[in-house]
Amino acid sequence: MMKRVVFDILLFGSVFFVPWWGVFALALYGAWRFSFYYEILIAGFCLDILYGATGMPFIFGFGVLGMVCGAAMLLVFERVKQEVRS
Amino acid sequence: MKTTYRRDDFKKRFVASAPQKRVGVLIVLFVLVIIMLFVPFVRGVISRGLYVIAPPLWTFGAAVGESWDSWWGLISSKQTLISENNTLREELSRMEVLVLDRNALAEEVTRLEETLGRPGSDNRVLGRVLAGPGWSPYDTFIIDVGAEHGIAVADVVVYAGAGTIGEIVEVYPESSKVKLYSSPGEENAVLVGERLAPAVARGRGMGNFIVDVSRGSVVASGDRVVLVKGKLTLGIVGLVEEKSAEPVIHVYFRTPFNLANVHSLEVLVKK
């Protein structure tokens, strides 16, 4: 539990201090390492709010790249973990 | 006859399994986040909250980065530093000459505007870049000037005093967000080349654009592309692609500077 909290702090801090590909790499590791790591959805949301803007050519004209990637990563990893670890 | 059910049968029939629960939670979370993103009031509150803590964190990160660069410079080989110093001095001299020429032109324009009774129409506010396109998957800059400095939404942002780069899209008390004209899907009216052929430029991300002009237009690599709004330089033509089967010429151009090296921007504040 403590490891997850520490990793959460690292992940949310990386949104401010690390380029997006670094956040992506951390999120990948978190999704693999922890069970149902929904925090990547929140990190993706923070990324979209901080750096995205209205009028961007994504869903309904607003950037949702971080959140959509986070959700996709979570679903894929949960499925893969289920298959690999069962 | 009394019918009894085993408890685990009940659970299998009426209680969702752990994976199903998780997918349910994920869907609820996703919908909640979508609502937070698209309901203006909720998004505004969350944005303002994040932008209270974000600028100091970015400033701290930049300070740490500069300290690291200084320390690294100390332990770099002396010869490398001397060589870099000489290259930079040469570049600086060249830039000083270009600036003199530009300053002379700017003075002439100001004098002509005053003669015609049209004094200079913009105030410029200098902002330091807190985060840029390389930092996020979006084509945006975050700068350290905001509403308290007179910045407003739709103010034009320029680099190096002349090349336009984007517009302000979000304003906070002490910071603001700039959306680049080169953002994927952005369209802007431009004038291409020496003959100022009108066209619409489409952004392709990271300072790159594409514009289609009619066949027969005189456009060559190195020509300037000017934004109709404000008559500011948007980019320099890099490649002209002509295909015999098409009635248009594809012109690829990009900003005349590297976006990754932009550390400060000027906002043209409306008077």
Side-chain angles (χ1 to χ4, degrees), chain B residues 187-225:
Chain B
E187 293 187 346
N188 290 281
V190 296
L191 301 169
V192 185
E194 288 180 3
R195 304 255 180 106
L196 301 177
V200 174
R202 296 191 304 279
R204 300 176 76 224
M206 282 303 287
N208 297 291
F209 301 85
I210 182 171
V211 60
D212 293 337
V213 294
S214 54
R215 186 179 284 279
S217 301
V218 179
V219 180
S221 179
D223 282 353
R224 237 170 33 119
V225 180

PDB file of all heavy atoms in Angstrom, chain B residues 187-225:
ATOM      1  N   GLU B 187      -6.612  26.016 -38.646  1.00  0.00           N
ATOM      2  CA  GLU B 187      -6.594  26.618 -39.975  1.00  0.00           C
ATOM      3  C   GLU B 187      -6.533  28.134 -39.845  1.00  0.00           C
ATOM      4  O   GLU B 187      -7.237  28.714 -39.020  1.00  0.00           O
ATOM      5  CB  GLU B 187      -7.844  26.209 -40.761  1.00  0.00           C
ATOM      6  CG  GLU B 187      -7.868  24.718 -41.103  1.00  0.00           C
ATOM      7  CD  GLU B 187      -9.016  24.344 -42.017  1.00  0.00           C
ATOM      8  OE1 GLU B 187      -9.929  25.154 -42.185  1.00  0.00           O
ATOM      9  OE2 GLU B 187      -8.983  23.217 -42.552  1.00  0.00           O
ATOM     10  N   ASN B 188      -5.663  28.752 -40.643  1.00  0.00           N
ATOM     11  CA  ASN B 188      -5.512  30.207 -40.594  1.00  0.00           C
ATOM     12  C   ASN B 188      -5.312  30.760 -41.992  1.00  0.00           C
ATOM     13  O   ASN B 188      -4.606  30.148 -42.811  1.00  0.00           O
ATOM     14  CB  ASN B 188      -4.307  30.584 -39.722  1.00  0.00           C
ATOM     15  CG  ASN B 188      -4.554  30.308 -38.256  1.00  0.00           C
ATOM     16  OD1 ASN B 188      -5.222  31.066 -37.562  1.00  0.00           O
ATOM     17  ND2 ASN B 188      -4.040  29.190 -37.782  1.00  0.00           N
ATOM     18  N   ALA B 189      -5.900  31.926 -42.242  1.00  0.00           N
ATOM     19  CA  ALA B 189      -5.737  32.573 -43.543  1.00  0.00           C
ATOM     20  C   ALA B 189      -4.334  33.169 -43.630  1.00  0.00           C
ATOM     21  O   ALA B 189      -3.884  33.873 -42.715  1.00  0.00           O
ATOM     22  CB  ALA B 189      -6.775  33.674 -43.708  1.00  0.00           C
ATOM     23  N   VAL B 190      -3.638  32.874 -44.727  1.00  0.00           N
ATOM     24  CA  VAL B 190      -2.256  33.343 -44.901  1.00  0.00           C
ATOM     25  C   VAL B 190      -2.056  33.898 -46.300  1.00  0.00           C
ATOM     26  O   VAL B 190      -2.886  33.698 -47.193  1.00  0.00           O
ATOM     27  CB  VAL B 190      -1.232  32.198 -44.654  1.00  0.00           C
ATOM     28  CG1 VAL B 190      -1.291  31.713 -43.233  1.00  0.00           C
ATOM     29  CG2 VAL B 190      -1.454  31.054 -45.626  1.00  0.00           C
ATOM     30  N   LEU B 191      -0.911  34.579 -46.479  1.00  0.00           N
ATOM     31  CA  LEU B 191      -0.486  35.072 -47.793  1.00  0.00           C
ATOM     32  C   LEU B 191       0.874  34.442 -48.058  1.00  0.00           C
ATOM     33  O   LEU B 191       1.788  34.525 -47.227  1.00  0.00           O
ATOM     34  CB  LEU B 191      -0.374  36.593 -47.780  1.00  0.00           C
ATOM     35  CG  LEU B 191      -1.674  37.323 -47.432  1.00  0.00           C
ATOM     36  CD1 LEU B 191      -1.414  38.801 -47.167  1.00  0.00           C
ATOM     37  CD2 LEU B 191      -2.695  37.149 -48.535  1.00  0.00           C
ATOM     38  N   VAL B 192       0.995  33.796 -49.207  1.00  0.00           N
ATOM     39  CA  VAL B 192       2.180  32.976 -49.477  1.00  0.00           C
ATOM     40  C   VAL B 192       3.050  33.605 -50.549  1.00  0.00           C
ATOM     41  O   VAL B 192       2.555  33.994 -51.621  1.00  0.00           O
ATOM     42  CB  VAL B 192       1.759  31.557 -49.936  1.00  0.00           C
ATOM     43  CG1 VAL B 192       2.980  30.674 -50.109  1.00  0.00           C
ATOM     44  CG2 VAL B 192       0.796  30.935 -48.939  1.00  0.00           C
ATOM     45  N   GLY B 193       4.336  33.684 -50.272  1.00  0.00           N
ATOM     46  CA  GLY B 193       5.313  34.050 -51.288  1.00  0.00           C
ATOM     47  C   GLY B 193       5.363  35.544 -51.595  1.00  0.00           C
ATOM     48  O   GLY B 193       4.677  36.362 -50.986  1.00  0.00           O
ATOM     49  N   GLU B 194       6.183  35.861 -52.590  1.00  0.00           N
ATOM     50  CA  GLU B 194       6.385  37.271 -52.955  1.00  0.00           C
ATOM     51  C   GLU B 194       5.122  37.891 -53.539  1.00  0.00           C
ATOM     52  O   GLU B 194       4.872  39.088 -53.368  1.00  0.00           O
ATOM     53  CB  GLU B 194       7.518  37.357 -53.980  1.00  0.00           C
ATOM     54  CG  GLU B 194       8.880  37.093 -53.366  1.00  0.00           C
ATOM     55  CD  GLU B 194       9.994  37.178 -54.395  1.00  0.00           C
ATOM     56  OE1 GLU B 194       9.710  37.498 -55.560  1.00  0.00           O
ATOM     57  OE2 GLU B 194      11.148  36.890 -54.012  1.00  0.00           O
ATOM     58  N   ARG B 195       4.319  37.060 -54.225  1.00  0.00           N
ATOM     59  CA  ARG B 195       3.103  37.589 -54.852  1.00  0.00           C
ATOM     60  C   ARG B 195       1.920  37.576 -53.886  1.00  0.00           C
ATOM     61  O   ARG B 195       0.804  37.878 -54.260  1.00  0.00           O
ATOM     62  CB  ARG B 195       2.744  36.749 -56.085  1.00  0.00           C
ATOM     63  CG  ARG B 195       3.859  36.667 -57.093  1.00  0.00           C
ATOM     64  CD  ARG B 195       3.598  37.537 -58.296  1.00  0.00           C
ATOM     65  NE  ARG B 195       4.696  37.437 -59.244  1.00  0.00           N
ATOM     66  CZ  ARG B 195       4.628  36.781 -60.395  1.00  0.00           C
ATOM     67  NH1 ARG B 195       3.509  36.154 -60.737  1.00  0.00           N
ATOM     68  NH2 ARG B 195       5.662  36.754 -61.202  1.00  0.00           N
ATOM     69  N   LEU B 196       2.157  37.172 -52.629  1.00  0.00           N
ATOM     70  CA  LEU B 196       1.137  37.161 -51.562  1.00  0.00           C
ATOM     71  C   LEU B 196      -0.127  36.417 -51.997  1.00  0.00           C
ATOM     72  O   LEU B 196      -1.242  36.948 -51.946  1.00  0.00           O
ATOM     73  CB  LEU B 196       0.789  38.599 -51.141  1.00  0.00           C
ATOM     74  CG  LEU B 196       1.962  39.434 -50.626  1.00  0.00           C
ATOM     75  CD1 LEU B 196       1.515  40.851 -50.315  1.00  0.00           C
ATOM     76  CD2 LEU B 196       2.567  38.805 -49.381  1.00  0.00           C
ATOM     77  N   ALA B 197       0.061  35.175 -52.431  1.00  0.00           N
ATOM     78  CA  ALA B 197      -1.092  34.363 -52.846  1.00  0.00           C
ATOM     79  C   ALA B 197      -1.924  34.000 -51.615  1.00  0.00           C
ATOM     80  O   ALA B 197      -1.387  33.441 -50.651  1.00  0.00           O
ATOM     81  CB  ALA B 197      -0.596  33.090 -53.542  1.00  0.00           C
ATOM     82  N   PRO B 198      -3.226  34.307 -51.596  1.00  0.00           N
ATOM     83  CA  PRO B 198      -4.047  33.975 -50.431  1.00  0.00           C
ATOM     84  C   PRO B 198      -4.318  32.487 -50.356  1.00  0.00           C
ATOM     85  O   PRO B 198      -4.533  31.833 -51.380  1.00  0.00           O
ATOM     86  CB  PRO B 198      -5.340  34.764 -50.671  1.00  0.00           C
ATOM     87  CG  PRO B 198      -5.407  34.930 -52.148  1.00  0.00           C
ATOM     88  CD  PRO B 198      -4.011  34.947 -52.670  1.00  0.00           C
ATOM     89  N   ALA B 199      -4.292  31.956 -49.175  1.00  0.00           N
ATOM     90  CA  ALA B 199      -4.536  30.520 -48.982  1.00  0.00           C
ATOM     91  C   ALA B 199      -4.891  30.283 -47.519  1.00  0.00           C
ATOM     92  O   ALA B 199      -4.901  31.214 -46.714  1.00  0.00           O
ATOM     93  CB  ALA B 199      -3.292  29.725 -49.360  1.00  0.00           C
ATOM     94  N   VAL B 200      -5.182  29.020 -47.196  1.00  0.00           N
ATOM     95  CA  VAL B 200      -5.492  28.641 -45.813  1.00  0.00           C
ATOM     96  C   VAL B 200      -4.437  27.638 -45.358  1.00  0.00           C
ATOM     97  O   VAL B 200      -4.290  26.572 -45.961  1.00  0.00           O
ATOM     98  CB  VAL B 200      -6.906  28.014 -45.703  1.00  0.00           C
ATOM     99  CG1 VAL B 200      -7.140  27.494 -44.295  1.00  0.00           C
ATOM    100  CG2 VAL B 200      -7.971  29.032 -46.088  1.00  0.00           C
ATOM    101  N   ALA B 201      -3.724  27.965 -44.310  1.00  0.00           N
ATOM    102  CA  ALA B 201      -2.673  27.077 -43.792  1.00  0.00           C
ATOM    103  C   ALA B 201      -3.258  26.158 -42.734  1.00  0.00           C
ATOM    104  O   ALA B 201      -4.009  26.592 -41.852  1.00  0.00           O
ATOM    105  CB  ALA B 201      -1.547  27.903 -43.191  1.00  0.00           C
ATOM    106  N   ARG B 202      -2.881  24.886 -42.830  1.00  0.00           N
ATOM    107  CA  ARG B 202      -3.350  23.896 -41.828  1.00  0.00           C
ATOM    108  C   ARG B 202      -2.162  23.456 -40.983  1.00  0.00           C
ATOM    109  O   ARG B 202      -1.095  23.147 -41.506  1.00  0.00           O
ATOM    110  CB  ARG B 202      -3.959  22.691 -42.530  1.00  0.00           C
ATOM    111  CG  ARG B 202      -5.213  23.006 -43.339  1.00  0.00           C
ATOM    112  CD  ARG B 202      -5.925  21.736 -43.781  1.00  0.00           C
ATOM    113  NE  ARG B 202      -5.067  20.835 -44.540  1.00  0.00           N
ATOM    114  CZ  ARG B 202      -4.798  20.964 -45.834  1.00  0.00           C
ATOM    115  NH1 ARG B 202      -5.295  21.956 -46.520  1.00  0.00           N
ATOM    116  NH2 ARG B 202      -4.021  20.087 -46.455  1.00  0.00           N
ATOM    117  N   GLY B 203      -2.370  23.441 -39.685  1.00  0.00           N
ATOM    118  CA  GLY B 203      -1.294  23.050 -38.781  1.00  0.00           C
ATOM    119  C   GLY B 203      -1.059  21.552 -38.798  1.00  0.00           C
ATOM    120  O   GLY B 203      -1.990  20.762 -38.943  1.00  0.00           O
ATOM    121  N   ARG B 204       0.232  21.175 -38.639  1.00  0.00           N
ATOM    122  CA  ARG B 204       0.582  19.751 -38.601  1.00  0.00           C
ATOM    123  C   ARG B 204       1.362  19.417 -37.331  1.00  0.00           C
ATOM    124  O   ARG B 204       1.909  18.356 -37.196  1.00  0.00           O
ATOM    125  CB  ARG B 204       1.426  19.400 -39.831  1.00  0.00           C
ATOM    126  CG  ARG B 204       0.705  19.664 -41.142  1.00  0.00           C
ATOM    127  CD  ARG B 204       1.576  19.405 -42.341  1.00  0.00           C
ATOM    128  NE  ARG B 204       1.732  17.987 -42.598  1.00  0.00           N
ATOM    129  CZ  ARG B 204       2.883  17.408 -42.895  1.00  0.00           C
ATOM    130  NH1 ARG B 204       3.984  18.119 -42.960  1.00  0.00           N
ATOM    131  NH2 ARG B 204       2.943  16.127 -43.134  1.00  0.00           N
ATOM    132  N   GLY B 205       1.434  20.386 -36.430  1.00  0.00           N
ATOM    133  CA  GLY B 205       2.087  20.123 -35.149  1.00  0.00           C
ATOM    134  C   GLY B 205       3.541  20.565 -35.119  1.00  0.00           C
ATOM    135  O   GLY B 205       4.225  20.498 -36.136  1.00  0.00           O
ATOM    136  N   MET B 206       3.993  21.028 -33.970  1.00  0.00           N
ATOM    137  CA  MET B 206       5.399  21.375 -33.704  1.00  0.00           C
ATOM    138  C   MET B 206       5.973  22.366 -34.715  1.00  0.00           C
ATOM    139  O   MET B 206       7.103  22.209 -35.183  1.00  0.00           O
ATOM    140  CB  MET B 206       6.272  20.121 -33.671  1.00  0.00           C
ATOM    141  CG  MET B 206       6.140  19.363 -32.369  1.00  0.00           C
ATOM    142  SD  MET B 206       6.536  20.364 -30.901  1.00  0.00           S
ATOM    143  CE  MET B 206       8.312  20.504 -31.036  1.00  0.00           C
ATOM    144  N   GLY B 207       5.197  23.380 -35.057  1.00  0.00           N
ATOM    145  CA  GLY B 207       5.694  24.434 -35.931  1.00  0.00           C
ATOM    146  C   GLY B 207       5.600  24.140 -37.413  1.00  0.00           C
ATOM    147  O   GLY B 207       6.091  24.926 -38.224  1.00  0.00           O
ATOM    148  N   ASN B 208       5.009  23.042 -37.796  1.00  0.00           N
ATOM    149  CA  ASN B 208       4.891  22.670 -39.203  1.00  0.00           C
ATOM    150  C   ASN B 208       3.501  22.954 -39.751  1.00  0.00           C
ATOM    151  O   ASN B 208       2.511  22.788 -39.043  1.00  0.00           O
ATOM    152  CB  ASN B 208       5.203  21.185 -39.386  1.00  0.00           C
ATOM    153  CG  ASN B 208       6.628  20.860 -39.009  1.00  0.00           C
ATOM    154  OD1 ASN B 208       7.562  21.265 -39.687  1.00  0.00           O
ATOM    155  ND2 ASN B 208       6.813  20.158 -37.903  1.00  0.00           N
ATOM    156  N   PHE B 209       3.471  23.389 -41.032  1.00  0.00           N
ATOM    157  CA  PHE B 209       2.195  23.716 -41.670  1.00  0.00           C
ATOM    158  C   PHE B 209       2.171  23.150 -43.083  1.00  0.00           C
ATOM    159  O   PHE B 209       3.217  22.884 -43.677  1.00  0.00           O
ATOM    160  CB  PHE B 209       2.025  25.248 -41.806  1.00  0.00           C
ATOM    161  CG  PHE B 209       2.061  26.004 -40.518  1.00  0.00           C
ATOM    162  CD1 PHE B 209       3.268  26.390 -39.964  1.00  0.00           C
ATOM    163  CD2 PHE B 209       0.890  26.366 -39.876  1.00  0.00           C
ATOM    164  CE1 PHE B 209       3.311  27.113 -38.791  1.00  0.00           C
ATOM    165  CE2 PHE B 209       0.930  27.101 -38.707  1.00  0.00           C
ATOM    166  CZ  PHE B 209       2.137  27.466 -38.169  1.00  0.00           C
ATOM    167  N   ILE B 210       0.951  23.052 -43.615  1.00  0.00           N
ATOM    168  CA  ILE B 210       0.791  22.740 -45.031  1.00  0.00           C
ATOM    169  C   ILE B 210      -0.261  23.687 -45.598  1.00  0.00           C
ATOM    170  O   ILE B 210      -1.224  24.035 -44.907  1.00  0.00           O
ATOM    171  CB  ILE B 210       0.380  21.259 -45.276  1.00  0.00           C
ATOM    172  CG1 ILE B 210       0.288  20.976 -46.763  1.00  0.00           C
ATOM    173  CG2 ILE B 210      -0.933  20.928 -44.574  1.00  0.00           C
ATOM    174  CD1 ILE B 210       0.101  19.505 -47.107  1.00  0.00           C
ATOM    175  N   VAL B 211      -0.030  24.154 -46.813  1.00  0.00           N
ATOM    176  CA  VAL B 211      -1.010  25.036 -47.451  1.00  0.00           C
ATOM    177  C   VAL B 211      -1.106  24.624 -48.919  1.00  0.00           C
ATOM    178  O   VAL B 211      -0.108  24.265 -49.548  1.00  0.00           O
ATOM    179  CB  VAL B 211      -0.605  26.522 -47.286  1.00  0.00           C
ATOM    180  CG1 VAL B 211       0.743  26.814 -47.916  1.00  0.00           C
ATOM    181  CG2 VAL B 211      -1.657  27.438 -47.841  1.00  0.00           C
ATOM    182  N   ASP B 212      -2.304  24.641 -49.445  1.00  0.00           N
ATOM    183  CA  ASP B 212      -2.519  24.306 -50.846  1.00  0.00           C
ATOM    184  C   ASP B 212      -2.790  25.589 -51.618  1.00  0.00           C
ATOM    185  O   ASP B 212      -3.707  26.331 -51.277  1.00  0.00           O
ATOM    186  CB  ASP B 212      -3.713  23.347 -50.993  1.00  0.00           C
ATOM    187  CG  ASP B 212      -3.425  21.992 -50.369  1.00  0.00           C
ATOM    188  OD1 ASP B 212      -2.239  21.636 -50.238  1.00  0.00           O
ATOM    189  OD2 ASP B 212      -4.391  21.298 -49.990  1.00  0.00           O
ATOM    190  N   VAL B 213      -1.990  25.839 -52.645  1.00  0.00           N
ATOM    191  CA  VAL B 213      -2.223  27.008 -53.495  1.00  0.00           C
ATOM    192  C   VAL B 213      -2.498  26.521 -54.909  1.00  0.00           C
ATOM    193  O   VAL B 213      -2.124  25.409 -55.277  1.00  0.00           O
ATOM    194  CB  VAL B 213      -1.018  27.979 -53.487  1.00  0.00           C
ATOM    195  CG1 VAL B 213      -0.842  28.593 -52.112  1.00  0.00           C
ATOM    196  CG2 VAL B 213       0.257  27.275 -53.913  1.00  0.00           C
ATOM    197  N   SER B 214      -3.143  27.387 -55.675  1.00  0.00           N
ATOM    198  CA  SER B 214      -3.543  26.951 -57.015  1.00  0.00           C
ATOM    199  C   SER B 214      -2.320  26.776 -57.900  1.00  0.00           C
ATOM    200  O   SER B 214      -1.306  27.469 -57.746  1.00  0.00           O
ATOM    201  CB  SER B 214      -4.511  27.961 -57.630  1.00  0.00           C
ATOM    202  OG  SER B 214      -3.948  29.249 -57.598  1.00  0.00           O
ATOM    203  N   ARG B 215      -2.419  25.832 -58.793  1.00  0.00           N
ATOM    204  CA  ARG B 215      -1.324  25.562 -59.738  1.00  0.00           C
ATOM    205  C   ARG B 215      -1.055  26.827 -60.546  1.00  0.00           C
ATOM    206  O   ARG B 215      -1.974  27.488 -60.995  1.00  0.00           O
ATOM    207  CB  ARG B 215      -1.750  24.411 -60.654  1.00  0.00           C
ATOM    208  CG  ARG B 215      -0.681  23.923 -61.586  1.00  0.00           C
ATOM    209  CD  ARG B 215      -1.231  22.770 -62.419  1.00  0.00           C
ATOM    210  NE  ARG B 215      -1.292  21.548 -61.643  1.00  0.00           N
ATOM    211  CZ  ARG B 215      -0.245  20.752 -61.427  1.00  0.00           C
ATOM    212  NH1 ARG B 215       0.931  21.032 -61.946  1.00  0.00           N
ATOM    213  NH2 ARG B 215      -0.371  19.658 -60.712  1.00  0.00           N
ATOM    214  N   GLY B 216       0.179  27.154 -60.717  1.00  0.00           N
ATOM    215  CA  GLY B 216       0.535  28.388 -61.425  1.00  0.00           C
ATOM    216  C   GLY B 216       0.980  29.472 -60.462  1.00  0.00           C
ATOM    217  O   GLY B 216       1.557  30.473 -60.896  1.00  0.00           O
ATOM    218  N   SER B 217       0.711  29.314 -59.173  1.00  0.00           N
ATOM    219  CA  SER B 217       1.195  30.294 -58.193  1.00  0.00           C
ATOM    220  C   SER B 217       2.713  30.210 -58.134  1.00  0.00           C
ATOM    221  O   SER B 217       3.292  29.121 -58.224  1.00  0.00           O
ATOM    222  CB  SER B 217       0.618  30.002 -56.807  1.00  0.00           C
ATOM    223  OG  SER B 217      -0.780  30.044 -56.823  1.00  0.00           O
ATOM    224  N   VAL B 218       3.310  31.374 -57.972  1.00  0.00           N
ATOM    225  CA  VAL B 218       4.779  31.416 -57.929  1.00  0.00           C
ATOM    226  C   VAL B 218       5.223  31.315 -56.474  1.00  0.00           C
ATOM    227  O   VAL B 218       5.198  32.289 -55.731  1.00  0.00           O
ATOM    228  CB  VAL B 218       5.287  32.729 -58.567  1.00  0.00           C
ATOM    229  CG1 VAL B 218       6.801  32.782 -58.511  1.00  0.00           C
ATOM    230  CG2 VAL B 218       4.781  32.852 -59.995  1.00  0.00           C
ATOM    231  N   VAL B 219       5.588  30.107 -56.086  1.00  0.00           N
ATOM    232  CA  VAL B 219       6.031  29.867 -54.704  1.00  0.00           C
ATOM    233  C   VAL B 219       7.300  29.038 -54.765  1.00  0.00           C
ATOM    234  O   VAL B 219       7.382  28.061 -55.517  1.00  0.00           O
ATOM    235  CB  VAL B 219       4.966  29.099 -53.885  1.00  0.00           C
ATOM    236  CG1 VAL B 219       5.457  28.865 -52.470  1.00  0.00           C
ATOM    237  CG2 VAL B 219       3.646  29.857 -53.872  1.00  0.00           C
ATOM    238  N   ALA B 220       8.294  29.436 -53.986  1.00  0.00           N
ATOM    239  CA  ALA B 220       9.565  28.695 -53.977  1.00  0.00           C
ATOM    240  C   ALA B 220      10.049  28.518 -52.552  1.00  0.00           C
ATOM    241  O   ALA B 220       9.626  29.231 -51.639  1.00  0.00           O
ATOM    242  CB  ALA B 220      10.608  29.454 -54.797  1.00  0.00           C
ATOM    243  N   SER B 221      10.931  27.560 -52.393  1.00  0.00           N
ATOM    244  CA  SER B 221      11.521  27.309 -51.083  1.00  0.00           C
ATOM    245  C   SER B 221      12.234  28.577 -50.605  1.00  0.00           C
ATOM    246  O   SER B 221      12.933  29.232 -51.363  1.00  0.00           O
ATOM    247  CB  SER B 221      12.519  26.164 -51.218  1.00  0.00           C
ATOM    248  OG  SER B 221      13.122  25.898 -49.984  1.00  0.00           O
ATOM    249  N   GLY B 222      12.018  28.942 -49.343  1.00  0.00           N
ATOM    250  CA  GLY B 222      12.623  30.150 -48.791  1.00  0.00           C
ATOM    251  C   GLY B 222      11.675  31.341 -48.781  1.00  0.00           C
ATOM    252  O   GLY B 222      11.969  32.356 -48.146  1.00  0.00           O
ATOM    253  N   ASP B 223      10.536  31.231 -49.451  1.00  0.00           N
ATOM    254  CA  ASP B 223       9.552  32.332 -49.446  1.00  0.00           C
ATOM    255  C   ASP B 223       8.925  32.462 -48.064  1.00  0.00           C
ATOM    256  O   ASP B 223       8.811  31.499 -47.314  1.00  0.00           O
ATOM    257  CB  ASP B 223       8.439  32.054 -50.469  1.00  0.00           C
ATOM    258  CG  ASP B 223       8.877  32.361 -51.891  1.00  0.00           C
ATOM    259  OD1 ASP B 223       9.980  32.915 -52.062  1.00  0.00           O
ATOM    260  OD2 ASP B 223       8.115  32.056 -52.825  1.00  0.00           O
ATOM    261  N   ARG B 224       8.484  33.683 -47.802  1.00  0.00           N
ATOM    262  CA  ARG B 224       7.849  33.939 -46.507  1.00  0.00           C
ATOM    263  C   ARG B 224       6.366  33.657 -46.587  1.00  0.00           C
ATOM    264  O   ARG B 224       5.724  33.872 -47.618  1.00  0.00           O
ATOM    265  CB  ARG B 224       8.049  35.417 -46.146  1.00  0.00           C
ATOM    266  CG  ARG B 224       8.745  35.642 -44.832  1.00  0.00           C
ATOM    267  CD  ARG B 224       9.132  37.080 -44.624  1.00  0.00           C
ATOM    268  NE  ARG B 224       8.255  38.053 -45.183  1.00  0.00           N
ATOM    269  CZ  ARG B 224       7.596  38.970 -44.465  1.00  0.00           C
ATOM    270  NH1 ARG B 224       7.682  38.972 -43.166  1.00  0.00           N
ATOM    271  NH2 ARG B 224       6.848  39.864 -45.070  1.00  0.00           N
ATOM    272  N   VAL B 225       5.776  33.184 -45.480  1.00  0.00           N
ATOM    273  CA  VAL B 225       4.325  33.025 -45.373  1.00  0.00           C
ATOM    274  C   VAL B 225       3.868  33.949 -44.251  1.00  0.00           C
ATOM    275  O   VAL B 225       4.403  33.897 -43.136  1.00  0.00           O
ATOM    276  CB  VAL B 225       3.927  31.569 -45.055  1.00  0.00           C
ATOM    277  CG1 VAL B 225       2.420  31.441 -44.947  1.00  0.00           C
ATOM    278  CG2 VAL B 225       4.467  30.624 -46.120  1.00  0.00           C
TER     279      VAL B 225
END
